[in-house]
Amino acid sequence: MNQQEMRAVYAQTLIDLAEKDERIVLLEADLMKASGTTPFKTKFPGRTFNMGVAEANMVGVAAGLSAGGKIPFAGTFGCFAARRTYDQFFISANYARLKVRLVGTDPGISSAFNGGTHMPFEDMGIMRNIPKLAVFDPGDPVSLRKLVEKSAYYEGNTYMRLYRKPAPVIYDEKETFEIGKGKVLKEGTDITVIACGVIMLNEALKAYHILENEGIHATVIDMHTIKPVDSELIIRYARKTGRLITCENHQVMNGLGSAVAEVLAENCPVFIKRIGVEDEFGEVGTQDYLQERFGLTAAHIVEEAKKLINK
């Protein structure tokens, strides 16, 4: 499959937006090279702010820029974006009804050799608690581009997980996206697999083909928006297939799996299995090793799908 580097897509999308709207500004916490946003600084040096290793202050400044009429995108590693900036993001941006677009790079196991201290398995769970905040985990370069464009003009604050590495292109460039509306990629009648993010969406698609070859017909849904989650879509496919699996590069608590389980518990109780990190810290390793280590693979999805179908 054709691949594009996600951080390059992010930077180019911001450049495209900034060329049309002088309110677009970029803040970084001394990680511009890692985030791939140097091209934005080259193009718009007066609209780029390197805040140094001071993530909480960066978010406070972003909130101030928003109060002054700007549209700030503030980025850093996901572990810092979620854990170090939480109070400032909660109060200065969200509670104050300002508009900050916070971006957390290298979500979950994608931080690989940076290890457990830099491996955010809890960021979506932390962010889901903030009222009215939209939370995204794009699964390919096209959805990333479209969701960045949508988030720029969203009426509230946003938090986006950004996988930095090359990722397979799944969607056609003409595909449209709506905040809070999932995308059905494959139709099936036996089980529904709901995934988010680059790693787990691609593993879900691999699992679909394995299951199809074994006569098991799965629906695959890209739930790119974790909050607001697409309740209507979840309920519709729960009623259609009676069994669901969620797949996320995140703790199984408080992320995609919990969001789906909450919808099902209140509207349509069915069998559900949440695939993700099972209440553990991260560790150093290659991405392939870490996927095996934490069960974030197509093989694990297939195994759990068969168990659900036999219930």
Side-chain angles (χ1 to χ4, degrees), residues 7-8 10-11 28 31-37 75-76 105 162 164:
R7 62 183 176 182
Y10 171 64
E28 288 277 356
L31 287 170
M32 196 164 293
K33 183 177 180 181
S35 299
T37 51
T76 182
T105 66
L162 175 60
R164 294 188 300 158

Side-chain angles (χ1 to χ4, degrees), residues 70-134:
K70 302 299 183 184
I71 301 175
F73 282 79
T76 182
F77 288 153
C79 52
F80 304 142
R83 300 198 295 257
R84 289 191 180 175
T85 77
Y86 189 71
D87 188 45
Q88 286 74 17
F89 190 48
F90 190 106
I91 298 296
S92 298
N94 288 268
Y95 185 78
R97 305 294 196 273
L98 296 172
K99 298 176 183 178
V100 172
R101 287 76 181 93
L102 185 59
V103 176
T105 66
D106 266 10
I109 61 167
S110 66
S111 58
F113 292 114
N114 280 333
T117 57
H118 287 57
M119 207 161 278
F121 289 162
E122 65 295 310
D123 55 323
M124 289 194 295
I126 290 171
M127 293 300 177
R128 281 185 67 222
N129 288 303
I130 300 180
K132 312 301 182 186
L133 176 69

Side-chain angles (χ1 to χ4, degrees), residues 123-180:
D123 55 323
M124 289 194 295
I126 290 171
M127 293 300 177
R128 281 185 67 222
N129 288 303
I130 300 180
K132 312 301 182 186
L133 176 69
V135 180
F136 310 116
D137 195 359
D140 93 319
V142 175
S143 60
L144 170 63
R145 180 163 32 252
K146 300 297 178 71
L147 289 169
V148 168
E149 292 169 354
K150 289 283 185 181
S151 71
Y153 300 103
Y154 183 65
E155 281 305 306
N157 288 270
T158 65
Y159 175 72
M160 181 174 290
R161 297 182 113 203
L162 175 60
Y163 182 85
R164 294 188 300 158
K165 303 169 187 175
V169 176
I170 294 171
Y171 293 103
D172 184 88
E173 286 289 347
K174 296 179 180 178
E175 191 75 30
T176 60
F177 290 80
E178 294 296 329
I179 293 173

Side-chain angles (χ1 to χ4, degrees), residues 17 46 50-51 61 76 106 126 157 189 194 201 215 218-219 248 264 282 294 296-297 306:
L17 287 168
N50 185 354
M51 306 306 298
V61 171
T76 182
D106 266 10
I126 290 171
N157 288 270
T189 55
I194 303 176
L201 184 58
T219 289
E248 59 195 307
L264 295 176
F294 293 108
L296 307 180
T297 63
K306 291 177 179 178

Side-chain angles (χ1 to χ4, degrees), residues 6 15 40 62 81 96 115 118 126 132 140 163 174 191-193 246 252 255 258 263 275 292 306:
M6 293 286 275
I15 290 170
F40 186 94
H118 287 57
I126 290 171
K132 312 301 182 186
D140 93 319
Y163 182 85
K174 296 179 180 178
I191 193 167
T192 298
V193 180
T246 61
V252 294
S258 290
V263 172
I275 291 178
E292 291 288 343
K306 291 177 179 178

Side-chain angles (χ1 to χ4, degrees), residues 205-218 302 306:
L205 290 169
K206 292 176 188 175
Y208 164 85
H209 291 292
I210 296 170
L211 291 168
E212 193 74 11
N213 287 335
E214 297 186 20
I216 299 172
H217 309 296
V302 169
K306 291 177 179 178

